């Protein structure tokens, strides 16, 4: 029925009568003849009445069901967001999730301006994004594969992820380990500053992606299959922990993920992040830097997770940086990217310095 309704409302090349007939036939094949009359009546009513927003609950008087139905989002996520932010902010967030995302590249050798010129010479439209990032935004319809063929020393990376890299502010001459590296974007983006960068991931198949990206961009990485809860490291200078998370900051790029998430997902991931943070803290010497990041909007995975870590680990302190514009920082100096304000994915990061 949803497929039939979609055909009627959005696929103008399909006549309404054909969409109704085809859907009724599919229902008859799938579950038998009994419900076909009901399906036929409902879809004919959809065809007669249309699917305009005024047929849904009114946003101003009843924002939750409006955002749930018109915005096509799980109620439990919307309830969380409406408890934290205003209805208008959540509406902009939901609208963004239902808008096709633009693709950005980060050139690793060239500056953004010359990178745009290289792409233009290959007949590919692009523009410098700016906004405190090193991103180049591809034009409508430009294939990322074609862009990487023209500019192989680049990676596909959303501005929010690039801001995490810049916020990490990895010192030159250090040894760095990225404990959840695949597909390798963050490790590759920082690899020009350390003397050695190790990319670790528990998935061997995903680590092959890291190796291929390193080969294409010409940036050397050490590779190891390892679980971030048991990192095979000692006395490393910088640890990057881009932890597994609910990914609620990336639902524009992963629209199906909203339906795969459940409240239990959040509970399980918070526990996993805690284990990874504690394990990473053990491999850093005094003076070492731990950069924790997620692509989540949920406080339990971000500020609350870091706050709990600092309570457990008295030898660590938050350390802010001026490597990104201050508008991207929260009151504690942590990176906090809100999609409805920036048009980027959502992201969070905290720099944690071991002081004792």
């Amino acid at each position: 029925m949803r497929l039939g309704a979609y055909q009627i409302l959005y696929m103008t090349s399909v006549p309404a009568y054909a969409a109704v007939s085809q859907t009724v036939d599919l229902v008859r094949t799938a579950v038998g003849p009994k419900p076909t009359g009901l399906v036929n009546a409902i879809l004919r009513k959809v065809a007669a009445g249309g699917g305009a927003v005024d047929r849904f609950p009114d946003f101003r008087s009843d924002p939750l069901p409006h955002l749930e139905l018109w915005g096509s989002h799980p109620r439990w996520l919307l309830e969380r967001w409406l408890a934290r932010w205003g209805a208008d902010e959540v509406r902009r967030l939901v609208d963004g999730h239902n808008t096709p995302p633009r693709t950005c590249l980060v050139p690793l050798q060239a500056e953004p301006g010359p990178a745009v010129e290289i792409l233009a010479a290959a007949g590919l439209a692009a523009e410098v994004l700016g906004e405190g990032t090193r991103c180049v935004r591809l034009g409508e319809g430009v294939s990322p594969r074609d862009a990487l063929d023209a500019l192989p020393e680049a990676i596909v990376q959303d501005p929010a992820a690039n801001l995490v890299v810049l916020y990490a502010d990895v010192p030159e001459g250090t040894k760095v380990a990225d404990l959840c590296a695949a597909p390798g974007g963050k490790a590759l983006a920082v690899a020009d500053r350390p003397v050695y960068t190790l990319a670790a991931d528990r998935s061997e198949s995903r680590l092959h992606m890291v190796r291929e990206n390193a080969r294409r961009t010409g940036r050397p990485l050490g590779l190891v299959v390892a679980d971030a809860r048991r990192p095979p490291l000692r006395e490393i200078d910088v640890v990057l922990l881009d932890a597994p998370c609910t990914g609620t900051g990336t639902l524009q790029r992963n629209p199906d993920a909203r339906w795969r998430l459940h409240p239990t997902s959040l509970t399980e991931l918070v526990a996993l992040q805690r284990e990874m943070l504690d394990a990473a803290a053990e491999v850093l010497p005094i003076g070492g830097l731990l950069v924790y990041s997620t692509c989540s909007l949920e406080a339990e995975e971000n500020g609350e997770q870091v706050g709990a870590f600092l309570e457990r680990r008295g030898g660590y302190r938050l350390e802010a940086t001026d490597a990104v514009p201050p508008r991207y920082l929260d009151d504690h100096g942590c990176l906090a990217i809100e999609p409805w304000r920036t048009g980027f994915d959502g992201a969070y990061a905290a720099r944690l310095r071991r002081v004792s």
Side-chain angles (χ1 to χ4, degrees):
M1 287 178 66
R2 292 187 184 206
L3 288 172
Y6 183 86
Q7 287 180 296
I8 292 167
L9 297 173
Y10 297 107
M11 296 181 66
T12 55
S13 61
V14 179
Y17 71 85
V20 173
S21 176
Q22 184 182 52
T23 305
V24 168
D25 289 344
L26 288 171
V27 170
R28 181 180 290 108
T29 300
V31 296
K34 189 172 182 180
T36 56
L38 175 65
V39 171
N40 181 72
I42 290 174
L43 291 183
R44 285 183 179 277
K45 190 167 184 178
V46 170
V53 67
D54 60 8
R55 296 178 65 83
F56 288 78
D58 179 66
F59 172 72
R60 288 299 168 195
S61 61
D62 215 352
L64 176 58
H66 174 92
L67 295 169
E68 179 186 15
L69 299 173
W70 176 255
S72 187
H73 273 62
R75 176 175 284 254
W76 73 273
L77 268 180
L78 294 168
E79 288 174 338
R80 291 177 57 82
W81 296 341
L82 288 167
R84 292 174 58 198
W85 304 305
D88 286 328
E89 292 175 308
V90 177
R91 185 184 197 177
R92 297 206 307 273
L93 176 62
V94 166
D95 287 346
H97 289 168
N98 293 331
T99 303
R102 299 284 293 275
T103 300
C104 289
L105 300 186
V106 174
L108 299 182
Q109 302 295 340
E111 290 297 311
V116 168
E117 294 174 5
I118 293 170
L119 292 170
L124 304 173
E127 61 182 349
V128 175
L129 178 65
E131 301 294 334
T133 78
R134 287 184 44 80
C135 291
V136 169
R137 185 163 57 194
L138 301 183
E140 294 282 358
V142 174
S143 162
R145 183 180 294 276
D146 291 343
L148 291 176
D149 286 343
L151 194 68
E153 295 174 343
I155 54 175
V156 175
Q157 192 169 68
D158 182 82
N162 187 237
L163 286 166
V164 170
V165 170
L166 298 173
Y167 172 83
D169 200 12
V170 173
E172 293 186 4
T174 51
K175 294 179 181 179
V176 176
D178 185 345
L179 298 186
C180 300
K186 293 183 176 68
L188 289 168
V190 303
D192 61 326
R193 306 187 80 179
V195 294
Y196 179 75
T197 303
L198 178 72
D201 201 276
R202 66 178 297 179
S203 168
E204 184 175 357
S205 61
R206 284 172 56 80
L207 208 58
H208 288 314
M209 298 167 59
V210 181
R211 181 174 63 185
E212 175 57 27
N213 285 330
R215 182 202 61 75
R216 177 177 52 77
T217 58
R219 290 204 163 176
L221 295 177
L223 303 175
V224 62
V225 177
D227 190 326
R229 294 170 294 182
R230 292 176 289 277
L233 305 170
R234 287 292 181 271
E235 300 296 307
I236 199 83
D237 299 314
V238 181
V239 168
L240 306 180
L241 180 59
D242 189 31
C245 66
T246 56
T248 52
T250 62
L251 295 183
Q252 183 181 28
R253 299 185 185 281
N254 305 290
D256 289 351
R258 70 187 75 170
W259 303 114
R260 294 195 296 268
L261 288 173
H262 299 279
T264 55
S265 307
L266 179 59
T267 302
E268 293 165 358
L269 286 163
V270 167
L272 177 61
Q273 294 154 7
R274 176 184 174 123
E275 283 189 74
M276 290 182 172
L277 272 167
D278 286 341
E282 293 295 332
V283 303
L284 284 165
I286 294 175
L289 178 65
L290 170 56
V291 182
Y292 171 78
S293 63
T294 76
C295 55
S296 170
L297 301 176
E298 313 314 309
E300 295 94 328
E301 300 181 275
N302 297 335
E304 291 179 14
Q305 183 72 270
V306 169
F309 171 81
L310 292 172
E311 288 183 7
R312 296 193 306 275
R313 298 275 175 172
Y316 277 82
R317 297 287 184 272
L318 277 171
E319 181 180 273
T321 175
D322 59 1
V324 298
R327 67 179 180 274
Y328 298 129
L329 303 179
D330 67 14
D331 293 340
H332 303 287
C334 298
L335 187 76
I337 308 297
E338 297 172 325
W340 63 90
R341 299 187 193 281
T342 63
F344 308 158
D345 285 350
Y348 174 89
R351 300 175 84 251
L352 301 160
R353 181 76 67 180
R354 185 171 183 182
V355 295
S356 65

